[in-house]
Amino acid sequence: MAAESNLLVGLDLGTTKVCAIVGETTEGGEIDIVGIGTHPSFGLKRGVVVNIDDTVNSIKRAIAEAEHMAGCEISTVFSGIAGGHIKGITGHGMITIRTQEVTKSDIDRVVESASALLIPTDREILHIIPQEYIVDGQPGIKDPVGMHGVKLEAKVHIVTGQITSAQNLVKCIHLAGMDVADISIEQIASSEAVLTEDEKEIGVVLIDIGGGTTDIGIFYGGTIRYIESMTLGGDHIDRDLALGLSAPLPEAKRIKEKYGSALLDLVNSEETVEVISVGGRGLKNVPRKRLAMIIEPRVEEIFALIKREIVKSGYYDLMPGGAVITGGSVLIDGSAELAERVLGMPVRMGIPSNIGGLKDIIANPIYSTGVGLVLYGSRHDGEKKLRIRDENVFKNVFNGMKNWFSEFF
Ligand SMILES: Nc1ncnc2c1ncn2[C@@H]1O[C@H](COP(=O)(O)OP(=O)(O)OP(=O)(O)O)[C@@H](O)[C@H]1O
Ligand SMILES: [Mg+2]
């Protein structure tokens, strides 16, 4: 087993499962996945912690399993943060260039002026992501330092989140006995695992449909431009099926995963499946078409809402890379076809790639965020080793995130 310094651990706290993934840096600088631990998540709803004890327990179980598989002891993790509480808004700033030549301090001033927006008191700025600079009306400049001009403008993307949600997340990881090296929003983590650099450059939408949340990240010009998180996911499909078939929720989930289809056309009309009825009323035979009739409109609705978000972002016509869909819910048969139809752009499924080790196991869209956190960690490891013990840690972590974004540009 490699020394622990070669190991990086991603901890994805999802609404369906908590998943710990251990990556090992090889001599050639590649990452091999050497351990995976997953445990059902009972303490999170819509991406946020609703029960501390349950979340801590799920984390401990997932970590123990990953430690066992990798033969290591985990003390530090890279964690994701998600949920409907995370929002992105775009700000615009303008200043006069003091010395006719743009300096680093002009950049700081213009970014600050673009960030001077009204942020509600229960929210915290998580990221300030410069998008582009405009010098004397000339747009699309990535690094204006040294350029001559009079007026400097900046467009920045500002990501805010509910401060208490982040606090609870860090607290749970601490109570499970670990430190948090860094936190990344899940869109950025997953993008490391499933998107190519080319896609991010030309324009691509990353869509992660999990159990309780759907996360959208729009990438263009090599960087993230827009994020949105909706409290919609596979759980809603389960509920529709449970209602429509009078089946208990766990049974609805099981038949969805085994026999569900997002496209009615893909299902053979002869086929039936056995479904347990609610209240111990035995088994009944249900045509598979009936399942698809319930699932299709819900998945269609989810993609219609996603399309609305993409259009709202203003990037809809700038996405030649199309959409990459990931997260467990895209495993439903026909999801990609239906997504193409509704979104009106090419769609491919995103599974973790460019990685060694247990690649057959992690080649599954449910692991995109966990593997992405390992890759994110490998890029940013050593930049900020946060040894966090107190409750104020999240401040340090978020400052770390902000630093990272400024380094990114
Ligand atoms: N084979 C499958 N077919 C259909 N759906 C599936 C399949 N496997 C998993 N799912 C669904 O995927 C969802 C879980 O996805 P995922 O593991 O990405 O969620 P999560 O990360 O825990 O949740 P979130 O990201 O919303 O917090 C569940 O609704 C589950 O039923
Ligand atoms: Mg997830």
Side-chain angles (χ1 to χ4, degrees):
M1 192 67 239
E4 203 183 328
S5 59
N6 290 340
L7 298 179
L8 294 152
V9 183
L11 183 67
D12 174 20
L13 298 165
T15 50
T16 309
K17 55 154 202 328
V18 169
C19 166
I21 299 204
V22 186
E24 184 183 355
T25 314
T26 64
E27 276 178 14
E30 312 274 288
I31 304 285
D32 281 352
I33 300 301
V34 294
I36 301 169
T38 56
H39 194 263
S41 136
F42 299 115
L44 288 122
K45 282 222 161 42
R46 303 185 199 98
V48 301
V49 176
V50 291
N51 183 310
I52 301 250
D53 289 346
D54 288 346
T55 304
V56 172
N57 189 40
S58 297
I59 294 173
K60 282 183 174 166
R61 300 284 202 93
I63 290 285
E65 197 180 312
E67 284 178 332
H68 183 73
M69 195 188 274
C72 69
E73 211 171 284
I74 296 169
S75 56
T76 306
V77 297
F78 287 87
S79 164
I81 186 163
H85 64 101
I86 294 180
K87 299 279 177 223
I89 39 172
T90 301
H92 183 261
M94 188 173 72
I95 59 154
T96 305
I97 300 164
R98 277 185 184 146
T99 54
Q100 284 155 23
E101 192 175 300
V102 180
T103 61
K104 179 76 182 64
S105 107
D106 291 323
I107 303 275
D108 292 344
R109 279 199 301 132
V110 75
V111 168
E112 203 181 310
S113 91
S115 320
L117 294 168
L118 277 181
I119 309 288
T121 50
D122 60 338
R123 303 184 73 79
E124 170 94 345
I125 293 181
L126 304 183
H127 305 305
I128 295 173
I129 313 166
Q131 314 264 275
E132 67 163 329
Y133 297 94
I134 303 154
V135 179
D136 290 345
Q138 172 71 45
I141 300 166
K142 276 193 178 175
D143 181 10
V145 172
M147 285 178 73
H148 286 270
V150 178
K151 191 175 77 178
L152 176 66
E153 294 167 80
K155 268 195 198 162
V156 299
H157 195 57
I158 299 164
V159 181
T160 68
Q162 209 168 36
I163 196 67
T164 48
S165 304
Q167 253 171 321
N168 286 332
L169 193 92
V170 172
K171 182 173 185 174
C172 289
I173 299 172
H174 281 171
L175 288 172
M178 284 164 303
D179 283 340
V180 182
D182 197 3
I183 295 183
S184 157
I185 57 168
E186 296 200 346
Q187 285 92 334
I188 290 183
S190 303
S191 77
E192 301 260 359
V194 304
L195 297 184
T196 65
E197 292 303 320
D198 288 348
E199 282 172 331
K200 287 191 244 186
E201 192 59 46
I202 62 169
V204 69
V205 192
L206 176 63
I207 300 164
D208 181 328
I209 311 179
T213 62
T214 290
D215 297 317
I216 304 167
I218 293 181
F219 294 79
Y220 180 77
T223 182
I224 194 157
R225 301 279 166 164
Y226 185 87
I227 61 151
E228 185 58 57
S229 186
M230 304 190 291
T231 50
L232 255 183
D235 293 351
H236 294 77
I237 304 170
D238 301 347
R239 252 175 272 151
D240 292 347
L241 280 171
L243 268 175
L245 305 174
S246 301
L249 258 182
E251 174 68 353
K253 183 169 188 275
R254 185 188 71 86
I255 58 163
K256 172 195 74 177
E257 292 180 2
K258 213 158 174 202
Y259 308 107
S261 171
L263 280 180
L264 202 53
D265 305 351
L266 294 179
V267 183
N268 178 337
S269 16
E270 311 295 308
E271 246 181 290
T272 61
V273 297
E274 281 195 327
V275 180
I276 297 171
S277 293
V278 79
R281 277 185 235 115
L283 292 170
K284 60 185 168 202
N285 272 314
V286 175
R288 260 192 83 194
K289 280 250 181 226
R290 177 112 185 272
L291 306 182
M293 278 164 82
I294 297 171
I295 298 169
E296 185 179 302
R298 177 60 91 169
V299 178
E300 197 169 4
E301 184 204 13
I302 295 176
F303 282 117
L305 290 169
I306 293 169
K307 181 177 177 186
R308 206 175 67 181
E309 280 304 327
I310 306 170
V311 170
K312 202 172 97 189
S313 78
Y315 283 96
Y316 184 79
D317 296 321
L318 296 169
M319 297 285 109
V324 176
I325 57 172
T326 192
S329 294
V330 309
L331 285 168
I332 300 180
D333 265 3
S335 296
E337 290 92 321
L338 184 59
E340 279 199 350
R341 201 187 287 170
V342 179
L343 298 177
M345 56 173 72
V347 173
R348 72 168 177 90
M349 198 196 282
I351 55 171
S353 57
N354 296 329
I355 201 135
L358 304 165
K359 49 181 167 203
D360 293 344
I361 305 175
I362 52 113
N364 184 322
I366 67 172
Y367 295 130
S368 299
T369 307
V371 172
L373 284 165
V374 170
L375 295 172
Y376 172 86
S378 77
R379 281 209 204 202
H380 305 290
D381 197 27
E383 287 175 14
K384 42 189 183 296
K385 287 263 183 225
L386 298 164
R387 292 279 167 246
I388 313 144
R389 278 290 165 202
D390 63 291
E391 295 308 331
N392 293 322
V393 61
F394 66 94
K395 276 268 177 230
N396 302 338
V397 171
F398 289 145
N399 287 338
M401 289 164 83
K402 284 176 194 161
N403 289 343
W404 175 70
F405 277 107
S406 50
E407 279 157 27
F408 197 69
F409 287 89

